Amino acid sequence: DGGITQSPKYLFRKEGQNVTLSCEQNLNHDAMYWYRQDPGQGLRLIYYSQIVNDFQKGDIAEGYSVSREKKESFPLTVTSAQKNPTAFYLCASSRGGSYGYTFGSGTRLTVV
Amino acid sequence: GENVEQHPSTLSVQEGDSAVIKCTYSDSASNYFPWYKQELGKRPQLIIDIRSNVGEKKDQRIAVTLNKTAKHFSLHITETQPEDSAVYFCAAPGAGGGADGLTFGKGTHLIIQP
């Protein structure tokens, strides 16, 4: 059953702590993306990767980091430099270019 | 970069009536326009998309129209049903063609009144 899996579903972060969100896909898609969703703000692009070992900053990359060591995996680290990390994080993949995204089920991150 | 404006932010219609959601985009190089539906607490799902070489596309009760000259595109839902209640997002790729990420509108909360 092909798809894209995000974990964990819920994550709680303490002040000053780095946390990593997992995103794995078995769709054989080249392109992967991370978006942040806040109420009333739509989806905003954090980072994207078009091929393995390459990634680019999106519109709101400050305080986040990523890696793309395998085609299937694109983990996102929320660092302590991100001052307002509470949000719903969505990972997506696509064949690239003008093709629709397949989204994961999301991770809801809360600062405690 | 691309800028996408979406209206209205909330739309309430009677069950069985039609709903129309409109989006404008800024980058004339955009050539692909998807629409996503997101039910409460769930992932966005692609419901229909259109490429810039056509003006309209239909899939059962939903349709999308594109006006490249005016740089706007719209989602039309006919004979609305309770399961159509959700948040709908439009998106556009900008000059990068989508490989460097889609820009999304802020969403429309569609409410179907019984």
Side-chain angles (χ1 to χ4, degrees):
Chain A
D1 184 24
I4 183 167
T5 302
Q6 287 187 244
S7 62
K9 188 171 183 178
Y10 298 97
L11 186 57
F12 297 91
R13 192 194 94 166
K14 296 180 180 179
E15 295 286 347
Q17 189 179 45
N18 292 355
V19 292
T20 297
L21 285 60
S22 171
C23 178
E24 302 276 336
Q25 55 100 357
N26 61 5
L27 300 166
N28 199 32
H29 286 169
D30 287 313
M32 297 187 74
Y33 309 87
W34 275 104
Y35 282 86
R36 170 178 171 146
Q37 186 173 28
D38 296 281
Q41 293 295 316
L43 284 72
R44 294 182 290 168
L45 182 64
I46 304 172
Y47 268 98
Y48 64 96
S49 169
Q50 297 180 18
I51 56 172
V52 175
N53 292 322
D54 185 59
F55 49 84
Q56 304 295 329
K57 293 181 179 180
D59 300 320
I60 56 165
E62 185 175 351
Y64 301 97
S65 65
V66 294
S67 63
R68 186 87 187 274
E69 297 176 359
K70 299 186 301 180
K71 186 175 184 177
E72 301 79 16
S73 179
F74 191 40
L76 173 74
T77 295
V78 184
T79 75
S80 57
Q82 172 50 242
K83 297 306 178 188
N84 184 24
T86 295
F88 189 50
Y89 291 86
L90 286 161
C91 180
S93 69
S94 80
R95 291 163 58 189
S98 300
Y99 293 96
Y101 288 177
T102 299
F103 281 94
S105 56
T107 293
R108 190 166 297 280
L109 175 62
T110 304
V111 174
V112 296
Chain B
E2 178 65 277
N3 183 46
V4 177
E5 300 281 343
Q6 182 172 348
H7 299 281
S9 57
T10 303
L11 178 60
S12 181
V13 301
Q14 290 293 123
E15 183 178 348
D17 287 351
S18 296
V20 181
I21 302 169
K22 300 180 179 180
C23 287
T24 61
Y25 61 97
S26 61
D27 194 329
S28 57
S30 281
N31 58 0
Y32 171 69
F33 306 93
W35 285 90
Y36 291 84
K37 175 183 179 182
Q38 185 178 29
E39 297 178 5
L40 187 63
K42 296 189 176 181
R43 72 188 78 190
Q45 292 194 306
L46 179 69
I47 55 171
I48 195 168
D49 55 16
I50 190 169
R51 288 175 170 77
S52 57
N53 57 342
V54 298
E56 183 176 6
K57 182 178 179 180
K58 290 183 179 180
D59 183 3
Q60 299 183 346
R61 296 188 297 108
I62 61 173
V64 56
T65 58
L66 171 64
N67 183 326
K68 289 174 57 181
T69 302
K71 291 191 282 188
H72 68 71
F73 57 111
S74 299
L75 178 70
H76 305 253
I77 305 174
T78 59
E79 301 173 12
T80 53
Q81 301 171 4
E83 55 264 36
D84 295 329
S85 292
V87 179
Y88 292 81
F89 294 96
C90 63
D100 52 354
L102 294 169
T103 298
F104 286 81
K106 293 187 177 183
T108 296
H109 185 193
L110 177 62
I111 302 166
I112 308 300
Q113 303 279 6

